[in-house]
Amino acid sequence: MWGHLSASPSMYKRMTSRDSMNADVEADSDALQNGVEKEMTNPSWKYSCPHVLVATIVAFLFGYHLGVVNEPLESISVDLGFSGDTLAEGLVVSTCLAAAFAGSLISGWIADGVGRRRAFQLCSLPMLMGASLCATAKTLAGMLAGRFLVGLGLGVGPPVASLYVAEVSPAHVRGTYGSLIQIATCLGLMAALVIGIPVKNIVGWWRVCFWVSTIPAAILALAMMFCVESPHWLYKRGKLAEAEFEFERHLGSSHVKSAMLELSKSDRGDETESVKISELLNGRHSRDVREYPRTWQMFLLGLQT
């Protein structure tokens, strides 16, 4: 009896300390929840929009250079001396696309190696040089060389643009910003057709069509100096402070912590664990399958379908 009575105060003390611990945990959880709720509001799209618009210049140039030779091709063939040569005309059109295919093969390597911003600037250089060569071409070879350089830039640029837009866009407007790439491509095609309208009436107007394309290419190279670098690329490089700074620039200071947390989760690969079929039959998960016949039936049904 005395032992029972003597144990009661200690039990009371343990219960009291446990209750206080639970209270502390609940208080910490509430504080954490309040901190998360502060960042639950979507970041303003106004911060990231200018950077996305600059990136879509690449898509605009892609569409422009696809359509720039459609209207003035006949005038180009006459001035450069290959009128009536369908093979040469086809090369003028297709050389750009062939070079774009080659450029797309190294696009990811360049973006991962030097960063997204420098990749944009690198792709603008061959577009500037190639458009200038096309505008000043005196022979078919000069035209083809210019088209090839332009194609290299076009192959590198659009994949980087898609990657960049996805990485700097807030989640709630990511789909909208992604559609801007397609819109810019269509606008580039339309701009090439509109600018090429006077080619029938003005001698040498096709050269102006190529000179015009150097303007957005130069804007892209210069404007990227003021755009944010991809925080994802900086994080992969171990530049955490710079990644936080870039997040603050295009998301706002109140969303930096949550954005960095998402980056750390994706870097650790916090996805659901994948299970192989061999593990279901003979591995560590085979016991669970044997103990649950319903699970085994669903598994066999999945194999049949």
Side-chain angles (χ1 to χ4, degrees), residues 21-114:
M21 184 181 298
N22 291 335
D24 293 338
V25 171
E26 290 178 359
D28 293 339
S29 299
D30 292 339
L32 180 60
Q33 183 66 24
N34 292 332
V36 172
E37 288 178 354
K38 291 181 180 179
E39 295 190 353
M40 285 298 290
T41 57
N42 293 325
S44 176
W45 58 270
K46 297 179 181 179
Y47 297 128
S48 56
C49 185
H51 311 287
V52 172
L53 290 178
V54 172
T56 56
I57 295 177
V58 173
F60 177 86
L61 286 168
F62 185 83
Y64 186 89
H65 282 289
L66 286 181
V68 71
V69 296
N70 290 342
E71 192 70 24
L73 183 58
E74 182 179 352
S75 300
I76 293 173
S77 62
V78 172
D79 290 349
L80 299 185
F82 58 89
S83 179
D85 190 344
T86 56
L87 176 60
E89 293 177 355
L91 287 175
V92 171
V93 176
S94 60
T95 298
C96 183
L97 296 176
F101 172 75
S104 65
L105 296 178
I106 60 174
S107 176
W109 175 75
I110 293 176
D112 291 337
V114 301

Coordinates of all heavy atoms in Angstrom, one line a residue, residues 21-114:
M21 N 5.9 18.5 -22.2 CA 6.6 18.3 -23.4 C 5.7 18.3 -24.6 O 6.0 18.9 -25.6 CB 7.4 16.9 -23.3 CG 8.2 16.6 -24.5 SD 9.0 15.0 -24.3 CE 10.0 15.3 -22.9
N22 N 4.6 17.7 -24.4 CA 3.6 17.7 -25.5 C 3.1 19.1 -25.8 O 2.9 19.5 -27.0 CB 2.4 16.8 -25.2 CG 2.7 15.4 -25.1 OD1 3.7 14.9 -25.8 ND2 1.9 14.6 -24.4
A23 N 3.0 19.9 -24.8 CA 2.6 21.3 -25.0 C 3.7 22.1 -25.8 O 3.4 22.9 -26.6 CB 2.3 22.0 -23.7
D24 N 4.9 21.8 -25.4 CA 6.0 22.5 -26.1 C 6.1 22.0 -27.6 O 6.3 22.9 -28.5 CB 7.4 22.1 -25.5 CG 7.5 22.7 -24.1 OD1 6.7 23.7 -23.8 OD2 8.3 22.2 -23.3
V25 N 5.8 20.8 -27.9 CA 5.8 20.3 -29.2 C 4.7 20.9 -30.0 O 4.9 21.3 -31.2 CB 5.7 18.7 -29.3 CG1 5.5 18.2 -30.7 CG2 7.0 18.1 -28.7
E26 N 3.5 21.0 -29.4 CA 2.4 21.6 -30.1 C 2.7 23.1 -30.4 O 2.3 23.6 -31.4 CB 1.1 21.4 -29.2 CG 0.6 20.0 -29.1 CD -0.6 19.9 -28.2 OE1 -1.0 21.0 -27.7 OE2 -1.1 18.8 -28.1
A27 N 3.3 23.7 -29.4 CA 3.7 25.1 -29.6 C 4.6 25.3 -30.8 O 4.5 26.2 -31.6 CB 4.2 25.8 -28.4
D28 N 5.7 24.4 -30.8 CA 6.6 24.5 -31.9 C 5.9 24.2 -33.3 O 6.2 24.8 -34.3 CB 7.7 23.5 -31.7 CG 8.6 23.9 -30.5 OD1 8.6 25.1 -30.1 OD2 9.3 23.0 -30.0
S29 N 5.0 23.2 -33.3 CA 4.3 22.9 -34.5 C 3.4 24.0 -35.0 O 3.4 24.3 -36.2 CB 3.4 21.6 -34.3 OG 4.2 20.5 -33.9
D30 N 2.8 24.7 -34.0 CA 2.0 25.9 -34.4 C 2.8 27.0 -35.0 O 2.5 27.6 -36.0 CB 1.2 26.4 -33.2 CG 0.2 25.4 -32.7 OD1 -0.3 24.6 -33.5 OD2 -0.2 25.5 -31.5
A31 N 4.0 27.2 -34.4 CA 4.9 28.2 -34.9 C 5.4 27.9 -36.3 O 5.4 28.8 -37.2 CB 6.1 28.4 -34.0
L32 N 5.7 26.6 -36.5 CA 6.2 26.2 -37.8 C 5.0 26.3 -38.8 O 5.2 26.7 -40.0 CB 6.6 24.7 -37.8 CG 7.1 24.1 -39.1 CD1 8.3 24.9 -39.6 CD2 7.5 22.7 -38.9
Q33 N 3.8 25.9 -38.4 CA 2.7 26.1 -39.3 C 2.4 27.5 -39.7 O 2.1 27.8 -40.8 CB 1.4 25.4 -38.6 CG 0.2 25.5 -39.5 CD 0.4 24.5 -40.7 OE1 1.1 23.6 -40.7 NE2 -0.4 24.8 -41.8
N34 N 2.5 28.4 -38.7 CA 2.3 29.8 -39.0 C 3.4 30.3 -39.9 O 3.1 31.1 -40.8 CB 2.4 30.6 -37.7 CG 1.2 30.3 -36.8 OD1 0.1 30.0 -37.3 ND2 1.4 30.5 -35.5
G35 N 4.6 29.8 -39.8 CA 5.7 30.2 -40.7 C 5.4 29.7 -42.1 O 5.7 30.4 -43.1
V36 N 4.9 28.5 -42.2 CA 4.6 28.0 -43.6 C 3.4 28.7 -44.2 O 3.4 29.0 -45.4 CB 4.3 26.5 -43.5 CG1 3.7 26.0 -44.8 CG2 5.5 25.7 -43.0
E37 N 2.4 29.1 -43.3 CA 1.2 29.8 -43.9 C 1.6 31.1 -44.4 O 1.0 31.6 -45.4 CB 0.2 29.9 -42.8 CG -0.5 28.6 -42.5 CD -1.5 28.7 -41.3 OE1 -1.6 29.9 -40.8 OE2 -2.2 27.8 -41.0
K38 N 2.7 31.7 -43.9 CA 3.1 33.0 -44.4 C 3.6 32.9 -45.8 O 3.6 33.9 -46.5 CB 4.2 33.6 -43.4 CG 3.6 34.0 -42.1 CD 4.7 34.6 -41.2 CE 4.2 35.1 -39.9 NZ 5.2 35.6 -39.0
E39 N 4.2 31.8 -46.1 CA 4.7 31.6 -47.4 C 3.8 30.8 -48.4 O 4.1 30.5 -49.5 CB 6.1 30.8 -47.3 CG 7.2 31.5 -46.6 CD 8.5 30.9 -46.7 OE1 8.5 29.7 -47.3 OE2 9.5 31.4 -46.3
M40 N 2.6 30.5 -47.9 CA 1.6 29.8 -48.7 C 1.1 30.7 -49.8 O 0.5 30.2 -50.8 CB 0.5 29.3 -47.8 CG 0.9 28.1 -47.0 SD 1.4 26.7 -48.0 CE -0.2 26.2 -48.7
T41 N 1.1 32.0 -49.7 CA 0.6 32.9 -50.7 C 1.5 32.8 -51.9 O 2.8 32.6 -51.8 CB 0.6 34.3 -50.2 OG1 1.9 34.7 -49.8 CG2 -0.4 34.5 -49.1
N42 N 1.0 32.8 -53.1 CA 1.8 32.7 -54.3 C 2.6 33.9 -54.5 O 2.2 35.1 -54.3 CB 0.8 32.5 -55.5 CG 0.1 31.2 -55.5 OD1 0.6 30.2 -55.1 ND2 -1.1 31.2 -56.0
P43 N 3.9 33.7 -55.0 CA 4.7 34.9 -55.3 C 4.2 35.7 -56.5 O 3.5 35.1 -57.3 CB 6.1 34.3 -55.6 CG 5.8 32.9 -56.0 CD 4.6 32.5 -55.2
S44 N 4.5 36.9 -56.5 CA 4.0 37.8 -57.6 C 4.6 37.4 -58.9 O 5.8 37.2 -59.0 CB 4.2 39.2 -57.3 OG 3.9 40.1 -58.3
W45 N 3.8 37.3 -59.9 CA 4.3 37.0 -61.3 C 5.1 38.2 -61.9 O 5.9 38.0 -62.8 CB 3.2 36.7 -62.2 CG 2.2 37.8 -62.3 CD1 1.0 38.0 -61.6 CD2 2.2 38.9 -63.3 NE1 0.4 39.1 -62.0 CE2 1.0 39.7 -63.0 CE3 3.0 39.2 -64.3 CZ2 0.8 40.8 -63.8 CZ3 2.8 40.4 -65.1 CH2 1.6 41.1 -64.8
K46 N 5.0 39.4 -61.3 CA 5.7 40.5 -61.9 C 7.2 40.4 -61.7 O 7.9 41.0 -62.5 CB 5.1 41.8 -61.2 CG 3.7 42.0 -61.4 CD 3.2 43.3 -60.7 CE 1.7 43.5 -60.8 NZ 1.3 44.8 -60.1
Y47 N 7.7 39.7 -60.7 CA 9.1 39.6 -60.5 C 9.7 38.7 -61.6 O 10.8 39.0 -62.1 CB 9.4 39.0 -59.1 CG 9.0 39.9 -58.0 CD1 8.2 39.4 -57.0 CD2 9.3 41.2 -57.9 CE1 7.7 40.2 -55.9 CE2 8.9 42.0 -56.9 CZ 8.1 41.5 -55.9 OH 7.7 42.3 -54.8
S48 N 9.1 37.6 -61.9 CA 9.7 36.7 -62.9 C 9.4 37.0 -64.3 O 10.0 36.5 -65.2 CB 9.3 35.2 -62.5 OG 7.8 35.2 -62.5
C49 N 8.3 37.7 -64.6 CA 7.8 38.0 -65.9 C 8.9 38.6 -66.9 O 9.1 38.1 -68.0 CB 6.6 38.8 -65.9 SG 5.8 39.0 -67.6
P50 N 9.7 39.6 -66.4 CA 10.7 40.1 -67.3 C 11.7 39.1 -67.8 O 12.2 39.1 -68.9 CB 11.3 41.3 -66.5 CG 10.2 41.7 -65.5 CD 9.5 40.4 -65.2
H51 N 12.1 38.3 -66.8 CA 13.2 37.3 -67.2 C 12.6 36.3 -68.2 O 13.4 35.8 -69.1 CB 13.6 36.6 -65.9 CG 14.0 37.5 -64.8 ND1 15.1 38.3 -64.8 CD2 13.3 37.9 -63.6 CE1 15.2 39.0 -63.7 NE2 14.1 38.8 -63.0
V52 N 11.4 35.9 -68.0 CA 10.8 34.9 -68.9 C 10.6 35.5 -70.3 O 10.9 34.9 -71.3 CB 9.4 34.5 -68.4 CG1 8.7 33.6 -69.4 CG2 9.6 33.7 -67.1
L53 N 10.2 36.8 -70.4 CA 10.0 37.4 -71.7 C 11.3 37.5 -72.4 O 11.4 37.4 -73.6 CB 9.4 38.8 -71.5 CG 8.0 38.9 -71.0 CD1 7.5 40.3 -70.8 CD2 7.1 38.2 -72.0
V54 N 12.4 37.8 -71.7 CA 13.7 37.9 -72.4 C 14.1 36.5 -72.9 O 14.6 36.4 -74.0 CB 14.8 38.4 -71.4 CG1 16.2 38.2 -72.0 CG2 14.6 39.8 -71.0
A55 N 13.8 35.4 -72.2 CA 14.1 34.1 -72.6 C 13.3 33.7 -73.9 O 13.8 33.0 -74.7 CB 13.9 33.1 -71.5
T56 N 12.1 34.2 -74.0 CA 11.3 33.8 -75.1 C 11.7 34.5 -76.4 O 11.2 34.2 -77.5 CB 9.8 34.2 -74.9 OG1 9.7 35.6 -74.6 CG2 9.2 33.4 -73.7
I57 N 12.7 35.4 -76.4 CA 13.2 36.0 -77.6 C 13.9 34.9 -78.5 O 13.8 35.0 -79.7 CB 14.3 37.1 -77.2 CG1 13.6 38.3 -76.5 CG2 15.0 37.6 -78.5 CD1 14.6 39.4 -76.1
V58 N 14.4 33.9 -77.8 CA 15.0 32.8 -78.6 C 13.9 32.1 -79.4 O 14.1 31.8 -80.6 CB 15.7 31.8 -77.6 CG1 16.1 30.5 -78.3 CG2 16.9 32.4 -76.9
A59 N 12.8 31.9 -78.8 CA 11.7 31.2 -79.5 C 11.2 32.1 -80.7 O 10.9 31.6 -81.8 CB 10.5 30.9 -78.6
F60 N 11.2 33.4 -80.4 CA 10.8 34.4 -81.5 C 11.8 34.3 -82.7 O 11.4 34.2 -83.8 CB 10.8 35.8 -80.9 CG 10.5 36.8 -82.0 CD1 9.2 37.2 -82.3 CD2 11.5 37.5 -82.7 CE1 8.9 38.1 -83.2 CE2 11.2 38.5 -83.6 CZ 9.9 38.8 -83.9
L61 N 13.0 34.2 -82.4 CA 14.1 34.1 -83.4 C 14.0 32.8 -84.2 O 14.2 32.7 -85.4 CB 15.4 34.3 -82.8 CG 15.8 35.7 -82.4 CD1 17.1 35.7 -81.6 CD2 16.0 36.6 -83.7
F62 N 13.6 31.7 -83.4 CA 13.4 30.4 -84.1 C 12.3 30.5 -85.1 O 12.5 30.0 -86.3 CB 13.1 29.4 -83.0 CG 13.0 28.0 -83.5 CD1 14.2 27.2 -83.7 CD2 11.8 27.4 -83.9 CE1 14.1 25.9 -84.2 CE2 11.7 26.1 -84.4 CZ 12.9 25.4 -84.5
G63 N 11.2 31.0 -84.8 CA 10.1 31.2 -85.7 C 10.5 32.1 -86.9 O 10.1 31.9 -88.0
Y64 N 11.2 33.2 -86.5 CA 11.6 34.2 -87.6 C 12.5 33.6 -88.6 O 12.3 33.7 -89.8 CB 12.2 35.4 -86.9 CG 12.5 36.5 -87.9 CD1 11.6 37.5 -88.1 CD2 13.7 36.6 -88.6 CE1 11.8 38.5 -89.0 CE2 14.0 37.6 -89.5 CZ 13.0 38.6 -89.7 OH 13.2 39.6 -90.6
H65 N 13.5 32.9 -88.2 CA 14.4 32.3 -89.1 C 13.9 31.1 -89.9 O 14.4 30.8 -91.0 CB 15.7 31.9 -88.4 CG 16.6 33.1 -88.1 ND1 17.3 33.7 -89.1 CD2 16.9 33.7 -87.0 CE1 18.0 34.7 -88.6 NE2 17.8 34.7 -87.2
L66 N 12.8 30.5 -89.4 CA 12.2 29.5 -90.2 C 11.4 30.0 -91.3 O 11.3 29.4 -92.4 CB 11.2 28.7 -89.3 CG 11.8 27.7 -88.3 CD1 10.7 27.0 -87.5 CD2 12.7 26.7 -89.0
G67 N 10.9 31.2 -91.1 CA 10.0 31.8 -92.2 C 10.7 32.9 -93.0 O 10.1 33.4 -93.9
V68 N 11.9 33.3 -92.6 CA 12.5 34.5 -93.3 C 12.8 34.3 -94.7 O 12.8 35.2 -95.5 CB 13.7 34.9 -92.5 CG1 14.9 33.9 -92.7 CG2 14.2 36.3 -92.9
V69 N 13.0 33.0 -95.2 CA 13.4 32.8 -96.5 C 12.2 32.4 -97.4 O 12.4 32.2 -98.6 CB 14.5 31.7 -96.6 CG1 15.8 32.1 -96.0 CG2 14.0 30.4 -96.0
N70 N 11.1 32.3 -96.8 CA 9.9 31.8 -97.6 C 9.5 32.8 -98.7 O 9.4 32.5 -99.9 CB 8.7 31.5 -96.7 CG 8.9 30.3 -95.8 OD1 9.8 29.5 -96.1 ND2 8.1 30.2 -94.7
E71 N 9.3 34.0 -98.3 CA 8.9 35.1 -99.3 C 10.0 35.5 -100.2 O 9.8 35.6 -101.4 CB 8.3 36.2 -98.5 CG 7.6 37.2 -99.3 CD 6.3 36.7 -99.9 OE1 5.7 35.8 -99.3 OE2 5.8 37.2 -101.0
P72 N 11.2 35.8 -99.7 CA 12.3 36.3 -100.5 C 13.2 35.3 -101.2 O 14.2 35.6 -101.8 CB 13.1 37.2 -99.6 CG 13.0 36.5 -98.3 CD 11.6 35.9 -98.2
L73 N 12.8 34.0 -101.2 CA 13.7 33.0 -101.7 C 13.9 33.2 -103.2 O 15.0 33.0 -103.7 CB 13.1 31.6 -101.5 CG 13.9 30.4 -101.9 CD1 15.3 30.4 -101.3 CD2 13.2 29.1 -101.7
E74 N 12.9 33.6 -103.9 CA 13.1 33.8 -105.4 C 14.0 35.0 -105.6 O 14.9 34.9 -106.5 CB 11.7 34.1 -106.0 CG 11.8 34.3 -107.5 CD 10.4 34.6 -108.1 OE1 9.4 34.5 -107.4 OE2 10.3 34.9 -109.3
S75 N 13.9 36.1 -104.9 CA 14.8 37.2 -105.0 C 16.2 36.8 -104.6 O 17.2 37.2 -105.3 CB 14.3 38.4 -104.2 OG 13.1 38.8 -104.6
I76 N 16.4 36.0 -103.6 CA 17.7 35.6 -103.2 C 18.4 34.7 -104.3 O 19.6 34.9 -104.6 CB 17.6 34.8 -101.9 CG1 17.2 35.6 -100.7 CG2 18.9 34.1 -101.5 CD1 16.9 34.9 -99.4
S77 N 17.6 33.8 -104.9 CA 18.2 33.0 -105.9 C 18.6 33.8 -107.2 O 19.6 33.5 -107.8 CB 17.2 31.9 -106.3 OG 16.0 32.5 -106.9
V78 N 17.8 34.8 -107.5 CA 18.2 35.7 -108.6 C 19.5 36.5 -108.3 O 20.4 36.6 -109.2 CB 17.0 36.6 -109.0 CG1 17.5 37.6 -110.0 CG2 15.8 35.8 -109.5
D79 N 19.5 37.1 -107.2 CA 20.7 37.9 -106.8 C 22.0 37.1 -106.6 O 23.1 37.6 -106.9 CB 20.4 38.7 -105.6 CG 19.3 39.8 -105.8 OD1 19.0 40.0 -107.0 OD2 18.8 40.4 -104.8
L80 N 21.8 35.9 -106.1 CA 23.0 35.1 -105.9 C 23.4 34.1 -107.0 O 24.3 33.4 -106.9 CB 22.9 34.3 -104.5 CG 22.7 35.2 -103.3 CD1 22.7 34.3 -102.0 CD2 23.8 36.3 -103.2
G81 N 22.6 34.1 -108.0 CA 22.9 33.4 -109.2 C 22.6 31.9 -109.2 O 23.3 31.1 -109.9
F82 N 21.6 31.5 -108.5 CA 21.2 30.1 -108.6 C 19.7 30.0 -108.9 O 19.0 29.0 -108.4 CB 21.6 29.3 -107.3 CG 21.0 29.9 -106.0 CD1 19.7 29.4 -105.5 CD2 21.6 30.8 -105.3 CE1 19.2 29.9 -104.4 CE2 21.1 31.3 -104.1 CZ 19.9 30.8 -103.6
S83 N 19.2 30.9 -109.6 CA 17.8 30.9 -110.0 C 17.4 29.6 -110.8 O 18.1 29.3 -111.8 CB 17.4 32.1 -110.8 OG 16.1 32.1 -111.2
G84 N 16.4 29.0 -110.4 CA 16.0 27.7 -111.1 C 16.6 26.5 -110.6 O 16.2 25.4 -110.9
D85 N 17.6 26.6 -109.7 CA 18.3 25.4 -109.1 C 17.5 25.0 -107.8 O 17.7 25.6 -106.8 CB 19.7 25.8 -108.8 CG 20.5 24.6 -108.4 OD1 19.9 23.5 -108.1 OD2 21.8 24.6 -108.4
T86 N 16.7 24.1 -108.0 CA 15.8 23.7 -106.8 C 16.6 23.1 -105.7 O 16.3 23.2 -104.5 CB 14.8 22.6 -107.3 OG1 15.4 21.5 -107.9 CG2 13.8 23.3 -108.3
L87 N 17.8 22.4 -106.1 CA 18.6 21.8 -105.0 C 19.2 23.0 -104.2 O 19.2 22.9 -102.9 CB 19.7 21.0 -105.6 CG 20.7 20.4 -104.6 CD1 20.0 19.5 -103.6 CD2 21.8 19.6 -105.4
A88 N 19.7 24.0 -104.8 CA 20.3 25.1 -104.0 C 19.2 25.8 -103.2 O 19.5 26.2 -102.0 CB 20.9 26.1 -105.0
E89 N 18.1 26.0 -103.8 CA 17.0 26.6 -103.0 C 16.6 25.8 -101.8 O 16.4 26.3 -100.7 CB 15.8 26.8 -103.9 CG 16.0 27.9 -105.0 CD 14.8 28.0 -105.9 OE1 13.8 27.2 -105.7 OE2 14.8 28.9 -106.8
G90 N 16.6 24.5 -102.0 CA 16.3 23.6 -100.9 C 17.4 23.6 -99.8 O 17.1 23.6 -98.6
L91 N 18.6 23.8 -100.2 CA 19.7 23.9 -99.2 C 19.6 25.2 -98.4 O 19.9 25.2 -97.2 CB 21.1 23.8 -99.9 CG 21.5 22.5 -100.5 CD1 22.8 22.6 -101.3 CD2 21.6 21.4 -99.3
V92 N 19.2 26.2 -99.0 CA 19.1 27.5 -98.3 C 18.0 27.4 -97.2 O 18.2 27.9 -96.1 CB 18.7 28.6 -99.3 CG1 18.3 29.9 -98.5 CG2 19.8 28.9 -100.3
V93 N 17.0 26.6 -97.5 CA 15.9 26.4 -96.5 C 16.3 25.4 -95.4 O 16.2 25.7 -94.2 CB 14.6 26.0 -97.2 CG1 13.5 25.7 -96.1 CG2 14.1 27.1 -98.2
S94 N 16.9 24.3 -95.9 CA 17.1 23.2 -94.9 C 18.4 23.2 -94.2 O 18.5 22.5 -93.2 CB 17.0 21.9 -95.7 OG 18.0 21.8 -96.7
T95 N 19.4 24.0 -94.6 CA 20.6 24.0 -93.9 C 20.5 24.5 -92.5 O 21.1 24.1 -91.5 CB 21.6 25.0 -94.7 OG1 21.9 24.4 -95.9 CG2 22.9 25.1 -93.9
C96 N 19.6 25.5 -92.3 CA 19.3 26.0 -91.0 C 18.7 24.9 -90.1 O 19.1 24.8 -88.9 CB 18.3 27.2 -91.1 SG 18.0 28.0 -89.5
L97 N 17.8 24.1 -90.6 CA 17.2 23.1 -89.8 C 18.3 22.0 -89.4 O 18.3 21.4 -88.3 CB 16.0 22.5 -90.5 CG 14.9 23.4 -90.7 CD1 13.8 22.7 -91.5 CD2 14.3 23.9 -89.4
A98 N 19.1 21.6 -90.4 CA 20.1 20.6 -90.1 C 21.1 21.1 -89.1 O 21.5 20.3 -88.2 CB 20.9 20.3 -91.4
A99 N 21.5 22.4 -89.1 CA 22.4 22.9 -88.1 C 21.7 23.0 -86.8 O 22.3 22.8 -85.7 CB 22.9 24.3 -88.5
A100 N 20.4 23.3 -86.8 CA 19.6 23.3 -85.5 C 19.6 21.9 -84.9 O 19.7 21.8 -83.6 CB 18.2 23.8 -85.8
F101 N 19.5 20.9 -85.6 CA 19.6 19.5 -85.1 C 20.9 19.3 -84.4 O 21.0 18.8 -83.3 CB 19.3 18.5 -86.2 CG 19.6 17.1 -85.7 CD1 18.6 16.4 -84.9 CD2 20.7 16.4 -86.1 CE1 18.8 15.1 -84.5 CE2 20.9 15.1 -85.7 CZ 20.0 14.5 -84.9
A102 N 22.0 19.7 -85.1 CA 23.3 19.6 -84.5 C 23.5 20.4 -83.2 O 24.0 19.9 -82.2 CB 24.4 19.9 -85.5
G103 N 22.9 21.6 -83.2 CA 23.0 22.4 -82.0 C 22.2 21.9 -80.9 O 22.6 22.0 -79.7
S104 N 21.1 21.3 -81.2 CA 20.3 20.7 -80.1 C 20.9 19.6 -79.4 O 20.6 19.3 -78.2 CB 18.9 20.3 -80.6 OG 19.1 19.2 -81.5
L105 N 21.8 18.9 -80.0 CA 22.5 17.8 -79.4 C 23.5 18.2 -78.3 O 23.8 17.4 -77.4 CB 23.3 17.0 -80.5 CG 22.5 16.3 -81.6 CD1 23.4 15.6 -82.6 CD2 21.5 15.3 -81.0
I106 N 24.0 19.4 -78.4 CA 25.0 19.9 -77.4 C 24.3 21.0 -76.5 O 25.0 21.6 -75.6 CB 26.2 20.5 -78.1 CG1 25.8 21.7 -79.0 CG2 26.9 19.4 -78.9 CD1 27.0 22.4 -79.6
S107 N 23.0 21.2 -76.7 CA 22.4 22.3 -75.9 C 22.4 22.0 -74.4 O 22.7 22.9 -73.6 CB 20.9 22.4 -76.4 OG 20.2 23.4 -75.6
G108 N 22.0 20.8 -74.0 CA 22.0 20.4 -72.6 C 23.4 20.5 -72.0 O 23.5 20.9 -70.8
W109 N 24.4 20.0 -72.7 CA 25.8 20.1 -72.2 C 26.2 21.5 -72.0 O 26.9 21.8 -71.0 CB 26.7 19.4 -73.2 CG 28.1 19.4 -72.9 CD1 28.8 18.7 -71.9 CD2 29.1 20.3 -73.4 NE1 30.1 19.1 -71.9 CE2 30.3 20.0 -72.8 CE3 29.1 21.3 -74.5 CZ2 31.5 20.7 -73.1 CZ3 30.3 21.9 -74.8 CH2 31.4 21.6 -74.1
I110 N 25.9 22.4 -72.9 CA 26.3 23.8 -72.7 C 25.5 24.4 -71.5 O 26.1 25.1 -70.7 CB 26.0 24.6 -74.0 CG1 26.9 24.1 -75.1 CG2 26.1 26.1 -73.8 CD1 26.6 24.8 -76.4
A111 N 24.2 24.2 -71.4 CA 23.4 24.8 -70.3 C 23.9 24.3 -69.0 O 23.9 25.0 -68.0 CB 21.9 24.4 -70.5
D112 N 24.3 23.0 -68.8 CA 24.8 22.5 -67.6 C 26.2 22.9 -67.3 O 26.6 23.0 -66.1 CB 24.7 21.0 -67.6 CG 23.3 20.5 -67.5 OD1 22.4 21.2 -67.1 OD2 23.0 19.3 -68.0
G113 N 27.0 23.2 -68.4 CA 28.4 23.5 -68.2 C 28.6 25.0 -67.8 O 29.4 25.3 -66.9
V114 N 28.0 25.9 -68.5 CA 28.2 27.3 -68.3 C 27.1 28.0 -67.6 O 27.2 29.2 -67.4 CB 28.6 28.0 -69.6 CG1 29.8 27.3 -70.2 CG2 27.4 28.0 -70.6

